[in-house]
Amino acid sequence: MLSGNWTGCSTVPSRTLYPHQWSWDSGFVAIGLRHLSPVRAQRELESLLAAQWADGRVPHIVFNPDVPLTAYFPSPDFWRSSDAGDKAGAPAAVETSGIVQPPIHALAAWLVHQADPVASERRGFLRRLYPRLVAWQRYLTDRRDLGGRGLAAIVHPWESGMDNSPCWDPPLARIDPAATASFQRADLDHGCATDRPTDLDYGRYVRLAEQYRDHGYADDASQHRFAVEDPGVNALLIASEHALADIATALGADPSDHQVRAEELTTALVKGLWSAEDGLFLCHDVIAGRSIGERSAAGLLPLILPGLPDDISATLLATASGEHFGLDGIARLVPSYDLKGHAFDPCRYWRGPAWFNVNWLLARGLRQHGAAERADTLRATLLGAAAESGFAEYVDPFTGAARGSRDFSWTAALTIDLLAEVSR
């Protein structure tokens, strides 16, 4: 199916629902592809970063001009990146979205390099990507520190990757939705309405994107009506600083800047988003100046980090297996949202279903913090669920029943990575 979703330079998440290149999808796809074709995995990341903006941002969608505008919304004529994003340095030769997704890319690049260092060195893979990856990190740490707390903020729910999480409900309540008649959703042509965001939520997503576009995609803190520090985004930001330190070392450069930044970001993450009462990290609404009291799987993702205080990592391990997320208990896979939360829905997009990339990251986190047996169990469950569901986009966390698209690229790619891990 990865071959079926390959376009010649990148991999679409799904031929039907997602017919373009998505940012963090390509990161996860490259991680899996490295076991089959390290060079193709390199090309996956190279094609994405070729669409990077001059200000450093990596757009969340790179549009294929051969795909009809009606195949996906918001389409290139909505984002108008080469025009509206001109002052922010949007590329003129390719159309993209104007928002971003979680920064998995430096970690992916390092893992891809390690799969075949000889081929990587021959193609100059790390040497070419390193400055782009650094610019991407600096965009997030500098331009997106909207709260002045040393953490990156997202300015649209889609930037979190967890698009429809209940964590966004409180800040989204401030947003007047775009009129339903003003846009045509393409996602409902390929999926069940009960699995997808409501029209009200989608109208708010559209309104936010319109406002960002109409301000030239400028990251002026005063003009944003949605600004949230998300623990998942910041955990991957920190993991990428660790990866950049490894990349710098491999290139014969000084890694200390990345090491210091990783330490400083970890300190800011713990200080700004850790909730001992809830036993996980919470999102922070920058505009309202307060934490968002919803438990999301994003709050567990800092487990991937090596520099967490021992008491926090121990608490996260306990929370993952407790009543709110059910790992090793009532849930087959960790849900995207609190099993006991008021908005939990095992079917609706990011409001309860289990996702393969999130559980793959958590398996790495379990292993990182000494829970190897639990990581092995989660890996086995992921492999079974992927095959049984037809490599679905996401699944019911209790039953493993398929939801969303089938033949989903990152599900297939991460399955390959998990199988390679078993064979080592």
Side-chain angles (χ1 to χ4, degrees):
M1 73 193 63
L2 285 176
S3 295
N5 288 345
W6 174 250
T7 67
C9 63
S10 65
T11 307
V12 300
S14 161
R15 283 288 182 183
T16 54
L17 185 54
Y18 306 104
H20 302 283
Q21 183 178 24
W22 259 258
S23 174
W24 77 326
D25 293 70
S26 279
F28 289 115
V29 166
I31 288 168
L33 278 178
R34 69 191 166 116
H35 301 291
L36 302 180
S37 174
V39 171
R40 186 167 137 187
Q42 292 170 30
R43 290 173 66 191
E44 184 79 39
L45 294 172
E46 290 164 351
S47 65
L48 175 69
L49 289 166
Q52 185 173 26
W53 292 27
D55 64 4
R57 85 181 72 192
V58 175
H60 98 296
I61 304 174
V62 181
F63 289 107
N64 181 345
D66 295 330
V67 173
L69 292 177
T70 55
Y72 181 81
F73 179 83
S75 51
D77 57 343
F78 172 90
W79 295 102
R80 305 200 301 270
S81 63
S82 59
D83 176 23
D86 179 62
K87 291 183 179 178
V94 61
E95 293 298 321
T96 75
S97 66
I99 59 174
V100 303
Q101 275 188 326
I104 187 73
H105 312 92
L107 174 60
W110 177 239
L111 293 175
V112 167
H113 165 78
Q114 288 181 301
D116 191 341
V118 174
S120 175
E121 177 64 25
R122 184 177 66 248
R123 297 185 72 251
F125 174 65
L126 289 184
R127 195 165 299 281
R128 286 184 290 106
L129 258 63
Y130 177 67
R132 289 183 175 274
L133 292 168
V134 171
W136 169 216
Q137 294 283 115
R138 296 295 78 81
Y139 169 76
L140 292 171
T141 58
D142 298 348
R143 294 176 181 263
R144 286 298 191 87
D145 183 9
L146 301 179
R149 298 175 358 128
L151 295 169
I154 60 171
V155 299
H156 194 290
W158 292 341
E159 293 197 318
S160 70
M162 301 185 183
D163 303 9
N164 196 42
S165 170
C167 293
W168 318 136
D169 292 353
L172 278 176
R174 297 190 292 262
I175 310 302
D176 294 326
T180 303
S182 69
F183 58 91
Q184 180 65 48
R185 295 178 61 172
D187 61 321
L188 298 181
D189 295 336
H190 305 289
C192 176
T194 57
D195 287 359
R196 304 296 299 170
T198 65
D199 283 344
L200 174 61
D201 287 332
Y202 215 92
R204 286 169 167 153
Y205 303 153
V206 170
R207 177 72 73 195
L208 277 174
E210 286 176 340
Q211 291 171 342
Y212 195 30
R213 178 198 65 199
D214 293 346
H215 281 89
Y217 298 111
D219 290 309
D220 177 359
S222 65
Q223 64 95 9
H224 287 295
R225 298 183 63 196
F226 179 102
V228 176
E229 294 163 353
D230 174 68
V233 169
N234 281 280
L236 288 172
L237 180 67
I238 298 166
S240 284
E241 287 294 342
H242 286 291
L244 285 172
D246 290 329
I247 292 171
T249 300
L251 293 174
D254 183 0
S256 60
D257 178 62
H258 300 301
Q259 293 165 340
V260 169
R261 286 179 181 273
E263 184 177 348
E264 291 175 344
L265 285 164
T266 301
T267 299
L269 179 72
V270 171
K271 180 180 179 181
L273 302 184
W274 175 247
S275 171
E277 179 181 355
D278 294 283
L280 80 169
F281 291 85
L282 297 178
C283 296
H284 180 82
D285 185 338
V286 173
I287 294 172
R290 58 175 177 265
S291 294
I292 299 171
E294 300 284 359
R295 294 180 177 90
S296 160
L300 300 173
L301 291 187
L303 271 174
I304 65 174
L305 303 176
L308 283 184
D310 290 344
D311 60 327
I312 289 180
S313 60
T315 301
L316 285 173
L317 291 172
T319 299
S321 60
E323 63 180 353
H324 296 287
F325 293 97
L327 183 64
D328 309 323
I330 59 174
R332 286 188 67 185
L333 293 170
V334 173
S336 49
Y337 173 68
D338 183 0
L339 293 170
K340 301 181 77 64
H342 69 97
F344 175 77
D345 185 330
C347 302
R348 196 177 291 278
Y349 200 61
W350 290 110
R351 300 180 85 85
W355 291 73
F356 289 89
N357 64 330
V358 170
N359 279 266
W360 180 88
L361 287 166
L362 290 174
R364 286 181 66 90
L366 293 171
R367 205 171 299 283
Q368 173 73 46
H369 292 282
E373 186 174 341
R374 294 173 66 189
D376 289 343
T377 300
L378 180 54
R379 178 182 62 199
T381 304
L382 277 167
L383 289 171
E388 294 165 13
S389 69
F391 300 93
E393 183 180 0
Y394 48 97
V395 297
D396 184 300
F398 301 117
T399 68
R403 298 290 179 185
S405 296
R406 309 301 190 271
D407 296 336
F408 199 72
S409 289
W410 78 27
T411 304
L414 296 177
T415 297
I416 293 168
D417 186 68
L418 293 170
L419 287 170
E421 185 179 329
V422 171
S423 67
R424 285 198 292 269

